[in-house]
């Protein structure tokens, strides 16, 4: 047996680089990472894009105990450092300091779910290998204890070799201790490889690591970790910034190991989990290990939620309530925004003299922006509902249900949330497709998202339904009509959009983007009480992104359309 070089072999980063680098939050999806990020940064956060890609860059500031502020970056959720989607590739590049314009992290906060240590510690084993200072934020401790899972944080810290801080972000429990730990990166060393590399792979890893070190600026420790990645995964699926000779050598070594009947991936996974087993054996009590996974409550609910018939009935019921709220509850704020825009236009008309500049402001700027902002209440409520459903754990199960239908037309279970977002506006729906790892499914989702009936079509539907469809009740409770004929027609218009999207996806899947429908593997999180604060923060974040991105584009197009409509002017017409 041989092990990957220890942290002593890692080329130390300069103090200036560490001082300028951010604190990054890394963890599995549904581990409580976003809730922790919101608790640390509050309103001191902003969302942008990494240069050159559509992957979001979410960062904020946390106030340390000495009154100073540190930059915190919330990386996309990932299960390992082997990237299979653009989000995972960006997260890996940021961690390794390979992202242009982004300083290497000075500290990694690894968010670990206490209810499932085995799965979460797999990513931890990879983070420790790259030599960065690491601190583990242990979340869901109260949920684990309620199911008999007792995690000894101090013993876990001894086993892993880095600080472990239990936190309950929704109640701000443990945040002061975590913030205090963030001030001392030198007390959170990366321990290097805790697991032992199988002896059959050691010569190939060492040879490939030497080649990587000679061709790149990576340290021996990181080069060894990358060697393991190259030997255990298809090099075409791994976004590594290495040279062609390195890729050629990796391919030759993999072929040689296959000829010797050595399964690299299986050996590495087995070695990692053997290390995880040793760590959890020292951190969990024997009684807790017998009942490690929560049983009973989640399974009883899933018997209904995931039922092949009742599950779909519940799904369509939840979606009907959500859309009924979107089209009923927000009418007053939409009317107020529309009235405000009209009042603003009238005020400008009375204040400014007649001319092209006034027409531009009223018809181009206010008209264009007003047509966008008026639908903001619907978008806000939709994203609030999505956030609450996601927080409870239901949205993942809904995606699993609709995957049975979507996979038949070449879509992916993860296409569900982008297509759901497209009911509010296709722009945020298309932006949400970045989480789909399969490129073909991502492109198909982007192409069919505009076919969903977005809020901008609602006035047209309402006008035509009011003109041609009589107001006749279809279903009533006593004298109170629950469903009317105009409401049913409106619902059918949205169903028609879904059918058109699925039909177009099937055509794309069979013609221009052929291939095998991607498999959908997803973890079912436990049911939880949603955090209203987190939902409101995410709603505000999405609203600002929509206004900034969609609003500016629509404003520019509106100005161009006004110019094309206004010029050239006929000389025989009087001025407006």
């Amino acid at each position: 047996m041989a092990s990957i070089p220890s942290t002593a072999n890692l080329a130390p980063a300069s103090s200036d680089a560490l001082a300028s680098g951010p604190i990054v939050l890394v963890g599995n999806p549904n581990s409580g990472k976003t809730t922790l990020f919101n608790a640390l940064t509050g309103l001191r956060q902003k969302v942008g894009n990494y240069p050159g890609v559509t992957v979001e860059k979410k960062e904020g500031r946390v106030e340390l105990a000495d009154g100073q502020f540190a930059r915190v970056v919330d990386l996309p959720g990932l299960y390992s450092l082997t990237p299979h989607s653009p989000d995972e590739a960006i997260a890996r590049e940021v961690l390794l300091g390979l992202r242009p314009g982004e300083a290497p992290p000075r500290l990694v906060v690894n968010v670990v779910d206490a209810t499932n240590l085995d799965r979460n510690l797999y990513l931890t084993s990879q983070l420790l290998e790259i030599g960065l200072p690491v601190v583990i934020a242990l979340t869901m401790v109260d949920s684990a204890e309620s199911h008999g899972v007792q995690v000894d944080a101090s013993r876990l810290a001894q086993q892993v070799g880095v600080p472990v801080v239990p936190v309950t972000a929704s109640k701000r429990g443990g945040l002061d201790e975590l913030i205090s730990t963030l001030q001392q990166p030198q007390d959170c060393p990366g321990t290097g490889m805790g697991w032992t590399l199988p002896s059959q792979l050691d010569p190939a890893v060492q040879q490939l690591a030497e080649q990587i070190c000679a061709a790149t600026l990576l340290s021996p420790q990181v080069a060894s970790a990358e060697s393991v990645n190259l030997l255990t995964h298809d090099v075409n699926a791994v976004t590594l910034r290495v040279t062609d000779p390195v890729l050629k050598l990796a391919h030759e070594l993999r072929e040689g190991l296959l000829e010797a009947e050595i399964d690299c991936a299986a050996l590495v996974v087995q070695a990692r989990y053997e290390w995880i087993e040793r760590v959890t054996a020292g951190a969990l009590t024997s009684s807790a290990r017998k009942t490690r996974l929560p049983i009973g409550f989640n399974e009883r609910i899933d018997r209904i939620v995931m039922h092949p018939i009742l599950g779909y009935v519940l799904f369509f019921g939840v979606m009907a309530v959500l859309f009924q709220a979107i089209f009923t509850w927000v009418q007053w704020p939409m009317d107020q925004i529309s009235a405000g825009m009209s009042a603003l236009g009238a005020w400008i008309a009375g204040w400014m003299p007649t001319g092209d500049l006034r027409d531009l402001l009223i018809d181009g700027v206010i008209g264009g922006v007003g047509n966008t902002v008026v639908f903001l209440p619907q978008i806000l409520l939709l994203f609030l509902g999505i956030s609450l459903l996601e927080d409870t754990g239901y949205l993942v199960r809904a995606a699993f249900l609709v995957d049975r239908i979507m996979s038949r037309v070449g879509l992916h279970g993860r296409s569900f949330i982008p297509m759901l977002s497209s009911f509010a506006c296709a722009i945020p729906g298309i932006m949400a497709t970045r989480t789909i790892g399969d490129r073909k499914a991502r492109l198909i989702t982007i192409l069919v998202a505009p076919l969903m009936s977005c809020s901008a079509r609602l006035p047209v539907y309402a006008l035509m339904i009011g003109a041609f469809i009589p107001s006749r009740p279809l279903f009533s409770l006593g004298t109170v009509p629950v469903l009317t004929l105009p409401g049913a027609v409106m619902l059918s218009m949205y169903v028609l959009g879904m059918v058109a999207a699925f039909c177009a996806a099937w055509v794309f899947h069979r013609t221009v983007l052929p291939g095998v429908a991607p498999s959908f593997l997803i973890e079912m999180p436990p049911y939880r009480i949603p955090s209203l604060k987190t939902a409101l923060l995410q709603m505000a974040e999405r609203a600002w992104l929509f206004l900034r991105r969609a609003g500016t584009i629509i404003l520019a197009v509106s100005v161009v359309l006004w110019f094309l409509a206004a010029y050239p002017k006929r000389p025989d017409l009087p001025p407006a």
Side-chain angles (χ1 to χ4, degrees):
M1 296 284 187
S3 61
I4 280 182
S6 66
T7 52
N9 293 327
L10 178 63
S14 67
S15 58
D16 292 340
L18 289 177
S20 62
I23 297 171
V24 297
L25 266 62
V26 185
N28 290 182
N30 305 309
S31 63
K33 181 172 59 66
T34 300
T35 303
L36 178 59
F37 175 77
N38 290 331
L40 288 173
T41 61
L43 297 176
R44 297 184 297 267
Q45 57 180 264
K46 61 180 181 178
V47 178
N49 274 13
Y50 284 98
V53 293
T54 59
V55 176
E56 283 184 355
K57 180 180 182 181
K58 194 173 182 180
E59 64 177 67
R61 292 190 305 157
V62 57
E63 185 175 3
L64 304 178
D66 58 1
Q68 301 295 318
F69 285 90
R71 189 161 64 98
V72 181
V73 175
D74 182 20
L75 294 182
L78 63 160
Y79 290 103
S80 74
L81 293 186
T82 303
H84 297 287
S85 71
D87 278 13
E88 294 173 342
I90 293 296
R92 177 191 161 278
E93 289 182 354
V94 172
L95 286 169
L96 295 181
L98 300 177
R99 189 69 195 166
E102 185 71 43
R106 62 171 171 174
L107 180 66
V108 176
V109 178
N110 180 206
V111 182
V112 173
D113 182 357
T115 62
N116 199 335
L117 281 179
D118 289 355
R119 172 180 50 76
N120 282 251
L121 288 176
Y122 190 91
L123 175 61
T124 305
S125 70
Q126 294 181 311
L127 293 173
L128 296 175
E129 295 169 15
I130 59 180
L132 290 171
V134 176
V135 56
I136 293 177
L138 193 64
T139 60
M140 315 295 179
V141 176
D142 51 350
S143 178
E145 291 177 351
S146 66
H147 293 90
V149 179
Q150 298 291 332
V151 182
D152 190 330
S154 60
R155 294 196 64 182
L156 180 62
Q158 294 175 0
Q159 294 287 332
V160 179
V162 298
V164 177
V165 182
V167 294
T168 307
S170 59
K171 302 177 182 177
R172 300 195 62 84
L175 286 188
D176 291 339
E177 182 182 353
L178 178 61
I179 291 174
S180 177
T181 306
L182 299 182
Q183 288 184 278
Q184 307 295 331
Q186 66 274 11
D187 296 336
C188 316
T191 60
M193 178 182 281
W195 59 282
T196 304
L197 184 71
S199 58
Q200 303 98 309
L201 303 183
D202 185 63
V205 170
Q206 295 292 345
Q207 182 180 354
L208 190 56
E210 292 175 1
Q211 183 81 357
I212 292 176
C213 284
T216 67
L217 298 177
L218 296 177
S219 67
Q221 182 174 351
V222 176
S224 296
E226 294 297 77
S227 300
V228 174
N229 252 341
L230 284 168
L231 291 175
T232 55
H233 296 86
D234 183 3
V235 294
N236 295 323
V238 182
T239 308
L240 300 176
R241 298 194 173 190
V242 292
T243 59
D244 289 339
V246 172
L247 295 178
K248 181 179 179 181
L249 176 60
H251 178 75
E252 293 174 353
L253 292 173
R254 288 183 65 196
E255 291 296 324
L257 292 170
L258 287 175
E259 291 177 0
E261 298 184 349
I262 298 176
D263 190 336
C264 303
L267 288 175
V268 169
V269 170
Q270 180 181 355
R272 290 188 189 276
Y273 276 107
E274 287 176 354
W275 172 78
I276 292 172
E277 183 69 22
R278 293 194 301 270
V279 169
T280 54
L284 300 180
T285 62
S286 58
S287 59
R289 293 179 62 78
K290 295 178 182 178
T291 58
R292 181 177 306 173
L293 294 178
I295 58 174
F297 177 74
N298 291 313
E299 284 73 9
R300 285 195 296 270
I301 297 180
D302 280 344
R303 288 177 183 175
I304 300 175
V305 173
M306 306 297 291
H307 192 274
I309 298 177
L310 295 179
Y312 287 102
V313 173
L314 178 62
F315 168 73
F316 286 112
V318 170
M319 293 298 105
V321 170
L322 179 60
F323 285 111
Q324 181 67 24
I326 290 173
F327 299 128
T328 304
W329 296 356
V330 299
Q331 192 59 48
W332 183 83
M334 291 177 67
D335 292 341
Q336 297 304 308
I337 293 175
S338 180
M341 289 294 175
S342 299
L344 179 60
W347 178 77
I348 292 178
W351 173 69
M352 292 187 67
T354 302
D356 288 346
L357 180 58
R358 189 184 75 167
D359 294 344
L360 171 62
L361 292 177
I362 296 175
D363 299 330
V365 177
I366 296 178
V369 175
N371 290 334
T372 303
V373 177
V374 72
F375 298 110
L376 183 61
Q378 288 184 326
I379 295 173
L380 286 173
L381 189 57
L382 177 61
F383 281 125
L384 177 63
I386 291 175
S387 180
L388 291 175
L389 290 174
E390 187 175 17
D391 233 9
T392 60
Y394 176 74
L395 207 57
V396 173
R397 290 162 172 85
F400 181 79
L401 278 175
V402 299
D403 179 68
R404 300 173 185 174
I405 302 174
M406 289 183 168
S407 61
R408 298 178 183 273
V409 296
L411 292 171
H412 195 275
R414 294 188 184 276
S415 303
F416 167 65
I417 294 179
M419 295 180 74
L420 181 61
S421 302
S422 297
F423 278 116
C425 179
I427 295 174
I430 292 173
M431 289 164 51
T433 59
R434 68 187 186 279
T435 60
I436 304 174
D438 184 80
R439 180 178 177 273
K440 180 180 73 68
R442 186 166 62 250
L443 288 175
I444 292 178
T445 307
I446 291 173
L447 291 172
V448 303
L451 296 176
M452 311 297 283
S453 295
C454 67
S455 299
R457 303 175 193 177
L458 184 61
V460 180
Y461 293 163
L463 179 64
M464 297 186 66
I465 290 173
F468 298 105
I469 306 299
S471 181
R472 184 183 307 160
L474 295 180
F475 175 70
S476 303
L477 289 177
T479 59
V480 179
V482 177
L483 181 63
T484 62
L485 182 58
V489 174
M490 178 73 76
L491 178 62
S492 68
M493 298 300 292
Y494 281 85
V495 172
L496 180 62
M498 295 177 60
V499 172
F502 284 172
C503 291
W506 183 84
V507 172
F508 289 134
H509 176 54
R510 297 288 180 175
T511 56
V512 294
L513 292 169
V516 179
S519 59
F520 182 45
L521 300 176
I522 194 168
E523 175 199 0
M524 296 296 174
Y527 291 100
R528 305 187 184 101
I529 297 176
S531 169
L532 183 59
K533 177 183 177 181
T534 299
L536 291 175
L537 283 172
Q538 291 183 351
M539 180 186 69
E541 167 196 317
R542 293 293 153 186
W544 169 243
L545 284 176
F546 171 77
L547 289 176
R548 190 180 66 185
R549 296 175 181 174
T552 53
I553 294 173
I554 292 175
L555 173 61
V557 172
S558 299
V559 171
V560 171
L561 290 177
W562 173 87
F563 181 84
L564 294 176
Y567 293 97
K569 293 182 179 294
R570 289 180 55 182
D572 56 332
L573 291 179

